[in-house]
RNA sequence: GCGGCUGUAGCUCAGUUGGAUAGAGUGUUUGGCUACGAACCAAAAGGUCGCGGGUUCGAAUCCCUCCAGCCGUACCA
């Protein structure tokens, strides 16, 4: 739970305010009427030191002085004794730039040395019980490339939340009831009858599922049970076919997601909400709450009462509940029945409108839910492209590239790295480039750094140099720029995790990994280890080993392997 | 029409919530292994941050008008 950046930042603020108080006591600076809110930031450019305080800039107005003059008075009164810092100077319009010293390098390596696989973890979540619901693909067909993205995003976000002190629950919501399932049954039925009586024996349902997977299911059923269902009435037959096909598809999804290194704590079946009467109960509660009305025999939720653009149908005039009512029941189940403190739904952009309206519905006081505790991560669609042309993807027409096909062509590591992108980006996936994407994927750059360190450590061990403990590793010997840069990058890791958790943006970890690998490769090329004087050798070996630890930690968060050889 | 997301180097994308000369990767050009893994490193070139206004010490970032692309706007899910 050590965060070296946080402690360094806090020190800057303390040093500055101590200096200001001293200046004020000595009459060099006037007393500010309100506390000066001087921010501390990590600098972008190392030429500007490591941390910059904007105290003089923000305080200039209140003190009625020029920023640079304020900075001058502060700077001359800074006392670095016992701090991580070695010096400070004034730059630009009045920034006070602080530069870290060797005591800080040592503390960073010490933190990694003592925390090992736990380095980077924080308790910011304070054990909050969070559900991340993701993928939740319709079980009426194989998962698509969009699900590949959602799977990585949800799983990685969940990992990031775990590392930041949340109690995380991964859930897959299975739509095993409703219209889509009926249509699924009718589609299999048609293929089954065609199998028995020829292509023209029956008309394929309009809007039916045309994919080859439906034919395969019909064939499987035929191979197992022959013409057993031929003489049943249609409803009964569809029911029987679905009873085989649905569990089969769900098992396939589980298998394929496992191959993708994704596991769920629960596969929540929509049908259980119907069977237990939970939907009826929930709708009854909504009715009692007074924000519903009947129109043309259907029941509506007056969603406009909660700021939404339109009302929503809860129960159709035929008596069936809409997906909307089911969704409300499901979320009431998450919050009320199961007591999650926070729920995050990872949805595709095609559900964005629904997410906004749905969130409004959560404000209905009858539900007893704090709508602010429901968050959405909306990810933009993945455009599937071949030779520069967009391919329309649809489960209905069966033209999708499946997640499983994808993994046949590209390694899981490359795939997970590629899809761990910022949710907002409109990703383009080029089928023609898929194989090339493999060798270009920066994941190999990161993994290479890890493999390099592994063989380095192994080779040095053969020469009798084990990775030293902190007592035998003198961090002050790591004073050259490439080595210092590695230390600084290592120190950032806990902060990267925190920001990723706060912003629901696990793709930060990807970028961090590339930066850490780059810092290491640069160091490795600039500084030799083998053959150096023993103290220098040990210090650099220790640094390399710390890089290995942090690479492993961060790679495991995004579900990518850290190979010893490549 | 209304709502959401996006627009930054030839291409793919960052930009730490308003900070210093806008950065990486890739591609192009050039250099570096009789040396711990060259799947690496170094250097060059490449920009009206979609357009135009506004807010202030200071804007890619905040506000407004337009332009373009994608996604929504069902008694489907």
């Amino acid at each position: 739970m050590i965060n070296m950046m946080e402690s360094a930042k806090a020190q800057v603020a303390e040093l500055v305010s101590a200096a200001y108080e001293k200046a004020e006591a000595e009459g060099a600076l006037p007393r500010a009427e309100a506390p000066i809110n001087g921010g501390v930031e990590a600098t972008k450019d190392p030429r500007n030191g490591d941390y910059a305080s904007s105290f003089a800039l923000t305080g200039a107005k209140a003190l009625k002085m020029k920023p640079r003059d304020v900075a001058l008075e502060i700077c001359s009164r800074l006392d670095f004794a016992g701090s991580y810092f070695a010096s400070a100077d004034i730059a630009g319009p009045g920034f006070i730039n602080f530069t870290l010293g060797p005591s800080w390098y040592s503390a960073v390596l010490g933190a990694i040395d003592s925390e090992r696989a736990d380095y980077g973890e924080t308790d910011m979540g304070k054990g909050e019980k969070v559900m991340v619901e993701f993928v939740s693909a319709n079980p009426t067909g194989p998962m698509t490339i969009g699900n590949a993205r959602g799977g990585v995003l949800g799983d990685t976000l969940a990992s990031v939340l775990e590392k930041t002190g949340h109690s995380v629950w991964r859930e897959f919501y299975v739509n095993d009831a409703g219209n889509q399932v009926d249509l699924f049954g009718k589609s299999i039925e048609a293929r089954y009858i065609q199998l028995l009586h020829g292509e023209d024996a029956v008309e394929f349902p309009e809007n039916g599922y045309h994919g080859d997977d439906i034919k395969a299911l019909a064939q499987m059923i035929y191979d197992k049970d022959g013409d057993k269902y031929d003489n049943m009435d249609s409803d009964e037959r569809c029911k029987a076919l679905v009873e085989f096909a649905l569990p089969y598809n769900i098992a396939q999804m589980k298998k394929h997601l496992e191959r993708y290194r994704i596991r769920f704590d629960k596969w929540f079946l929509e049908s259980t909400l119907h069977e237990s009467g939970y939907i009826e109960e929930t709708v009854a509660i909504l009715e009692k709450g007074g924000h519903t009305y009947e129109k043309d025999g259907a029941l509506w939720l007056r969603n406009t009462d909660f700021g939404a653009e339109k009302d929503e149908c809860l129960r159709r005039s035929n008596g069936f509940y809409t997906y909307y009512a089911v969704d409300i029941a499901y979320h009431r189940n998450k919050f009320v029945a199961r007591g999650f403190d926070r729920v995050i739904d990872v949805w595709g952009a095609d559900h964005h409108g629904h997410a906004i309206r749905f969130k409004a519905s959560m404000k209905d006081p009858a539900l007893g839910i704090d709508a602010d505790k429901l968050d959405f991560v909306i990810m933009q669609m993945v455009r599937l492209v071949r030779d520069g042309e967009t391919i329309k993807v649809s489960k209905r027409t069966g033209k999708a590239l499946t997640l499983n096909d994808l993994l046949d062509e590209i390694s899981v590591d490359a795939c997970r790295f590629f899809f761990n992108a910022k949710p907002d980006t409109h990703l383009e996936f080029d089928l023609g480039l898929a194989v090339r994407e493999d060798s270009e994927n920066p994941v190999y750059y990161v993994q290479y750094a890890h493999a390099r360190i592994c063989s380095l450590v192994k080779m040095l061990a053969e020469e009798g140099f084990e990775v030293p403990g902190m007592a035998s590793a003198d961090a002050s010997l790591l004073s050259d720029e490439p080595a210092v840069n590695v230390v600084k990058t290592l120190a950032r890791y806990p902060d990267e995790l925190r920001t990723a958790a706060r912003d629901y943006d696990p793709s930060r970890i990807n970028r961090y990994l590339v930066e850490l690998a780059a810092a290491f490769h640069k160091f490795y090329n600039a500084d030799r280890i083998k053959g150096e004087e023993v103290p220098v050798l040990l210090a650099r070996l220790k640094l390399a080993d710390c890089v290995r630890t942090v690479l492993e930690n961060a790679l495991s968060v995004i579900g990518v392997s850290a190979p010893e050889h490549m």
Side-chain angles (χ1 to χ4, degrees):
Chain A
M1 303 280 180
I2 305 169
N3 187 332
M4 293 306 301
M5 272 187 74
E6 282 298 302
S7 9
K9 263 189 186 177
Q11 270 194 10
V12 169
E14 282 166 27
L15 289 170
V16 169
S17 82
Y20 169 65
E21 271 167 37
K22 202 171 164 200
E24 197 252 311
E26 292 170 10
L29 291 175
R31 166 162 289 280
E33 284 168 20
I36 296 166
N37 191 15
V40 180
E41 291 166 18
T43 56
K44 280 183 207 163
D45 189 333
R47 280 173 299 184
N48 294 325
D50 297 306
Y51 292 91
S53 165
S54 54
F55 183 92
L57 291 166
T58 50
K61 209 171 241 174
L63 301 176
K64 292 177 182 142
M65 288 173 69
K66 285 181 189 163
R68 282 195 73 99
D69 292 340
V70 176
L72 211 62
E73 296 301 336
I74 297 286
C75 223
S76 65
R77 289 174 177 80
L78 288 168
D79 178 14
F80 298 115
S83 79
Y84 292 133
F85 293 92
S87 65
D89 54 359
I90 302 167
F95 290 102
I96 306 173
N97 295 333
F98 289 75
T99 302
L100 293 158
S103 69
W104 188 76
Y105 309 153
S106 185
V108 171
L109 299 192
I112 298 167
D113 180 71
S114 66
E115 298 189 328
R116 294 274 143 194
D118 294 334
Y119 175 71
E121 292 187 19
T122 59
D123 60 357
M124 76 181 266
K126 303 199 161 36
E128 187 185 21
K129 203 176 151 191
V130 182
M131 176 195 290
V132 182
E133 185 218 314
F134 60 108
V135 185
S136 299
N138 272 318
T140 51
M143 292 173 296
T144 64
I145 203 151
N147 299 131
R149 180 179 192 176
V152 166
L153 191 53
D155 186 50
T156 310
L157 174 61
S159 293
V160 162
L161 292 169
E162 278 169 343
K163 293 290 177 193
T164 48
H166 302 81
S167 167
V168 180
W169 180 266
R170 291 166 168 85
E171 187 152 303
F172 187 120
Y173 179 63
V174 186
N175 301 109
D176 65 336
N179 273 345
Q180 310 237 32
V181 174
D182 292 343
L183 195 58
F184 177 58
K186 289 202 172 89
S187 301
I188 304 171
E189 178 189 41
R191 294 302 186 204
Y192 178 76
I193 291 172
Q194 285 176 343
L195 209 56
L196 292 174
H197 305 293
E199 288 285 319
D200 301 327
V202 64
E203 197 152 324
F204 199 77
E206 200 186 347
N207 296 327
Y209 294 96
H210 286 81
D212 289 342
D213 57 296
I214 301 292
K215 287 182 189 168
L217 283 167
Q219 185 69 52
M220 262 184 273
I221 291 167
Y222 175 76
D223 292 345
K224 190 168 68 79
D225 296 329
D227 62 0
K228 183 174 158 189
Y229 309 105
D230 196 14
N231 292 319
M232 287 183 176
D233 82 36
S234 180
D235 284 355
E236 201 181 335
R237 178 165 51 219
C238 282
K239 192 167 171 261
L241 297 177
V242 164
E243 265 169 22
F244 168 83
L246 220 44
Y248 176 85
N249 271 2
I250 292 168
Q252 285 296 107
M253 290 199 294
K254 265 186 206 182
K255 194 171 119 194
H256 295 158
L257 283 166
E258 256 187 50
R259 186 179 176 199
Y260 208 31
R261 301 183 191 134
I262 294 175
R263 282 191 194 156
F264 290 90
D265 294 296
K266 188 172 177 74
W267 290 66
F268 189 100
L269 300 182
E270 175 187 341
S271 55
T272 61
L273 291 170
H274 291 86
E275 287 156 12
S276 66
Y278 199 79
I279 299 167
E280 272 182 285
E281 182 188 311
T282 302
V283 170
I285 286 170
L286 288 172
E287 285 190 89
K288 217 180 224 175
H291 293 282
T292 62
Y293 60 92
E294 290 206 26
K295 192 176 121 194
D296 305 329
L299 182 69
W300 292 75
L301 177 68
R302 204 185 305 279
N303 215 21
T304 44
D305 286 357
F306 310 110
E309 55 187 320
K310 64 191 190 68
D311 293 342
E312 297 289 343
C313 182
L314 294 172
R315 192 173 54 223
R316 300 198 289 262
S317 48
N318 64 11
F320 289 111
Y321 292 105
T322 61
Y323 81 104
Y324 203 91
V326 179
D327 238 9
I328 291 177
Y330 177 42
H331 282 78
R332 178 169 162 257
N333 171 277
K334 292 179 180 182
F335 282 107
V336 179
R338 289 191 279 166
F340 281 95
D341 299 319
R342 182 154 46 128
V343 169
I344 302 169
D345 290 346
V346 179
W347 287 357
D350 50 344
H351 288 72
H352 201 163
H354 172 51
I356 293 167
R357 295 187 293 273
F358 187 72
K359 179 134 180 162
S361 301
M362 290 289 105
K363 291 180 190 155
D364 189 331
L367 289 169
I369 294 171
D370 181 356
D372 290 338
K373 297 294 184 183
L374 173 62
D375 288 328
F376 295 96
V377 173
I378 302 297
M379 52 162 191
Q380 295 303 316
M381 305 277 88
V382 177
R383 254 201 329 280
L384 197 54
V385 172
R386 194 191 324 253
D387 304 327
E389 264 181 67
T390 301
I391 304 171
K392 282 280 172 196
V393 174
S394 162
K395 270 190 198 183
R396 294 254 162 89
T397 56
K399 275 185 191 159
L401 175 74
T402 72
L403 186 149
N404 203 43
D405 293 342
L406 189 65
L407 294 181
D408 287 340
E409 293 197 44
I410 303 171
S411 75
V412 173
D413 285 341
C415 217
R416 289 197 62 129
F417 203 87
F418 177 79
F419 282 119
N420 187 26
K422 233 169 50 169
D424 282 345
T425 56
H426 297 73
L427 274 185
E428 185 174 292
F429 193 89
D430 194 317
L431 280 175
L433 285 176
V435 178
R436 261 187 59 202
E437 200 79 57
D438 195 55
S439 59
E440 279 180 12
N441 198 311
V443 72
Y444 297 103
Y445 180 80
V446 175
Q447 291 182 319
Y448 181 58
H450 182 265
R452 244 182 170 180
I453 297 169
C454 287
S455 52
L456 173 72
V457 168
K458 198 174 158 201
M459 186 220 36
L460 286 171
E462 281 163 11
E463 296 192 3
F465 298 106
E466 295 294 335
V467 176
M470 280 312 292
S472 330
D474 182 357
S476 70
L477 297 172
L478 303 170
S479 56
D480 60 293
E481 202 273 324
V484 165
N485 189 243
V486 172
V487 175
K488 287 177 186 170
T489 309
L490 290 171
R492 268 178 38 211
Y493 182 53
D495 230 48
E496 288 293 335
L497 277 175
R498 277 165 35 125
T499 311
R502 186 197 63 192
D503 296 348
Y504 295 163
D505 180 13
S507 74
R508 290 189 142 269
I509 306 304
N510 275 28
R511 273 171 255 128
Y512 173 76
L513 276 163
V514 171
E515 271 183 60
L516 179 57
F520 173 75
H521 284 309
K522 200 170 281 198
F523 159 72
Y524 183 87
N525 268 273
D527 295 338
R528 289 199 56 77
I529 299 172
K530 183 183 168 185
E532 291 289 318
E533 304 255 330
V534 174
V536 173
L537 182 151
L538 291 177
R540 288 179 180 168
L541 175 57
K542 183 67 186 171
L543 180 62
D545 189 57
C546 285
V547 171
R548 176 167 67 166
T549 299
V550 177
L551 285 174
E552 281 168 7
N553 291 0
L555 282 169
S556 93
V557 167
I558 64 171
V560 172
S561 67
E564 292 186 22
H565 310 281
M566 294 183 66

